[in-house]
Amino acid sequence: MMRSFPRPLLAAGLTVGAVALLLTGCGAAPTSSDDAAAASDFTPCAVSDITGFDDKDFNQLTYEGVKAAADELGTKVLTADSNTEDQYAGNIQGLVEQDCDFIVTVGFALANATRDAAQQAPEVDFALIDSTVTDAEGAPLTLDNVKPVLFDTAQAAALAGYLAAGVTKTGAVGTYGGMPFPSVTVFMDGFADGVAHYNETHGTDVKVLGWDKAAQNGLFVGGFDDQIKARTLTEGLLDQGADVVMPVAGRLFEASAAVAEERGTDLAIIGVNGDVYDAVPKFRQYYLTSVLKNLTTAAEEVTLAAADGDFSSTPYIGTLENEGVGIAPTHDWESRIDPALLDEVEELRQQIVSGEFVVESPSSPKA
């Protein structure tokens, strides 16, 4: 029987086609969901980053949460789907002009555009997914109408790192990121901590390739849509002996899986954000697990709070304890893993929740 680690419950999962997203073909014009006539005068809205709301990943998971809240409220969602970075500011402004009460902006790339819009429209509340706001000099900035929605994914990534160290047959595991943003490197830090804890527990010397936690540097694609560069990084990790790889780069894990398929290698891939086993079934044989952000429930929670007049700028922080983060089941790998290792992963989860074991990352969000 497949073991399921305690993990976030995704409101609608990631089944392809399960959600009918009525999104714009261009970035500038917002659209609305096809709900019946609104029963509330509260209008929630959302702006995607350049991968769009149909990415079956970060943006879609967030949208599903806002949509679930809108359905509960009996109202409509207005959305603006970004195709390029230069559309962010205009998309947000377009929603402000559509009289949105609450605007969810998805991802750190929208942080500056969110800050600027919030300062210009203090009557509108914002939730910024996976980022805080800073001033023009990069110093932390708190705005009364911006709520950061953050996730301490280092905690969950430590579980994945421990699992990876227990699964590897070569003694080397790897990771790479899209860009060196805190919301990316926090995964890599946790992964490294999990491997280190496994080594300490078992007296092993599993190597982490692609990330030096002490130096805070490693392998990065330079974006989240360059499949060729992702392939190159994956090939380099495999050439160095890695047989488990965690790409922290949106949908670029598909490039890693494609390399494994072409080489005929038994690579184990760890996904991030949502359960990649559901998102991209084509490569299911390669998925060891996924490090999850409960984006759907977080987005629904903050949207409903705003609708109820309970908005605050206090950050939402997802942890293992509140199930804001977690890891997915091991699915097709279940039968290949020693049950004792899975028990150890669960024990580590409990130790992190209790505070007995602390995962440390300079990128972990602070309340």
Side-chain angles (χ1 to χ4, degrees):
M1 181 176 180
M2 181 171 293
R3 181 181 312 227
S4 296
F5 298 110
R7 61 190 179 101
L9 299 176
L10 302 181
L14 279 173
T15 304
V16 177
V19 179
L21 303 180
L22 299 182
L23 304 173
T24 61
C26 59
T31 63
S32 65
S33 62
D34 60 351
D35 293 338
S40 168
D41 59 3
F42 177 83
T43 303
C45 304
V47 182
S48 79
D49 69 9
I50 60 174
T51 60
F53 284 119
D54 60 351
D55 62 359
K56 303 179 183 68
D57 189 54
F58 196 85
N59 289 278
Q60 182 173 329
L61 289 170
T62 301
Y63 172 82
E64 289 174 0
V66 180
K67 179 66 164 58
D71 288 346
E72 182 172 336
L73 294 167
T75 188
K76 297 179 179 180
V77 182
L78 298 182
T79 62
D81 204 347
S82 305
N83 296 316
T84 61
E85 292 182 3
D86 60 8
Q87 292 178 340
Y88 295 155
N91 280 346
I92 297 173
Q93 182 58 33
L95 292 177
V96 170
E97 293 172 1
Q98 289 284 317
D99 296 324
C100 291
D101 297 291
F102 181 66
I103 300 176
V104 178
T105 56
V106 186
F108 45 78
L110 282 82
N112 289 345
T114 302
R115 174 199 65 204
D116 295 344
Q119 291 175 324
Q120 294 164 13
E123 74 282 4
V124 179
D125 291 328
F126 294 81
L128 175 58
I129 304 294
D130 226 21
S131 182
T132 58
V133 291
T134 60
D135 63 20
E137 285 70 45
L141 180 65
T142 298
L143 298 175
D144 290 341
N145 60 334
V146 177
K147 184 179 192 70
V149 179
L150 308 171
F151 302 87
D152 194 357
T153 43
Q155 293 186 352
L159 304 182
Y162 193 98
L163 178 63
V167 165
T168 180
K169 295 179 180 178
T170 63
V173 300
T175 184
Y176 66 86
M179 297 179 73
F181 293 108
S183 56
V184 172
T185 59
V186 68
F187 281 92
M188 301 164 90
D189 284 339
F191 186 71
D193 274 8
V195 173
H197 187 58
Y198 181 91
N199 285 335
E200 181 179 355
T201 301
H202 290 271
T204 51
D205 188 28
V206 177
K207 302 289 192 301
V208 176
L209 307 175
W211 182 242
D212 183 334
K213 182 184 176 185
Q216 288 289 293
N217 61 47
L219 297 178
F220 293 95
V221 175
F224 295 86
D225 57 359
D226 188 342
Q227 296 280 340
I228 295 175
K229 183 63 178 294
R231 288 175 60 93
T232 300
L233 294 181
T234 302
E235 289 168 348
L237 291 170
L238 292 178
D239 289 343
Q240 294 177 72
D243 61 353
V244 183
V245 173
M246 183 181 73
V248 191
R251 290 290 294 269
L252 294 184
F253 67 87
E254 293 182 68
S256 297
V259 169
E261 185 175 61
E262 291 169 9
R263 288 195 176 194
T265 186
D266 195 25
L267 178 66
I269 291 175
I270 297 172
V272 299
N273 296 333
D275 190 346
V276 297
Y277 187 88
D278 296 325
V280 185
K282 176 182 178 181
F283 296 117
R284 279 180 170 174
Q285 71 187 82
Y286 300 106
Y287 304 144
L288 176 60
T289 186
S290 297
V291 181
L292 304 175
K293 292 180 181 179
N294 196 351
L295 292 151
T296 301
T297 298
E300 180 179 8
E301 180 178 318
V302 298
T303 302
L304 289 174
D308 289 342
D310 292 332
F311 176 88
S312 79
S313 61
T314 302
Y316 167 96
I317 299 178
T319 64
L320 286 177
E321 183 175 12
N322 64 20
E323 296 190 339
V325 299
I327 62 172
T330 51
H331 295 298
D332 294 352
W333 274 78
E334 183 83 8
S335 62
R336 304 169 59 181
I337 301 172
D338 184 346
L341 174 60
L342 298 178
D343 289 339
E344 289 178 34
V345 173
E346 168 57 18
E347 182 180 357
L348 178 58
R349 186 195 69 83
Q350 295 176 11
Q351 290 173 345
I352 294 172
V353 169
S354 70
E356 181 181 348
F357 181 81
V358 178
V359 183
E360 297 181 323
S361 170
S363 298
S364 287
K366 305 295 189 294

